């Protein structure tokens, strides 16, 4: 299953991932500096949410693209069911 993340969808996902990357770097720096545990956990939670949102955006885009690309035909229902199951499994891995 390949995703074609074009335009605004791709920029949105990449921005979320870059934000998470910066937050994780910040968490590492905070730990090295011996910062307060609550501050570290707050930043770690923010990074986790950014990663989750990027994953959900990828899954939502994949669901939309995959299900519309399947089209009609004798195998379409089976392909659609298989794709839905695969995307559901991915979705649940983030939940």
């Amino acid at each position: 299953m390949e995703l074609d993340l074009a335009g605004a969808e791709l920029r949105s996902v990449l921005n979320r991932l870059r934000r998470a990357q910066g937050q994780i770097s910040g968490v590492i720096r905070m730990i090295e500096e011996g910062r307060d545990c609550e501050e570290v956990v707050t930043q770690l939670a923010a990074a986790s949410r950014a990663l989750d949102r990027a994953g959900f955006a990828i899954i939502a885009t994949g669901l939309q693209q995959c299900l519309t690309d399947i089209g009609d035909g004798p195998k379409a229902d089976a392909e659609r069911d298989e794709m839905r199951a695969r995307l559901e499994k991915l979705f649940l891995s983030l939940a």
Side-chain angles (χ1 to χ4, degrees):
M1 167 177 54
E2 289 184 30
L3 292 179
D4 180 20
L5 295 175
E9 296 161 343
L10 178 59
R11 283 192 299 276
S12 174
V13 169
L14 290 174
N15 285 340
R16 288 183 191 280
L17 292 173
R18 286 188 184 107
R19 186 177 310 122
Q21 183 179 30
Q23 290 167 325
I24 291 169
S25 294
V27 169
I28 292 169
R29 193 169 37 258
M30 291 170 77
I31 291 171
E32 290 172 344
E33 294 170 356
R35 300 275 294 271
D36 180 65
C37 178
E38 188 174 343
E39 292 176 24
V40 172
V41 171
T42 299
Q43 286 303 309
L44 194 56
S48 178
R49 282 191 305 273
L51 289 172
D52 287 344
R53 288 182 179 162
F56 289 135
I58 290 169
I59 291 170
T61 301
L63 179 63
Q64 181 181 11
Q65 288 176 0
C66 294
L67 294 180
T68 56
D69 289 349
I70 290 174
D72 294 323
K75 294 183 181 180
D77 287 337
E79 288 178 24
R80 201 172 282 112
D81 288 344
E82 179 186 344
M83 186 57 61
R84 185 194 53 77
R86 289 172 64 193
L87 288 167
E88 182 179 315
K89 183 177 178 181
L90 288 172
F91 179 80
L92 290 173
S93 73
L94 291 173

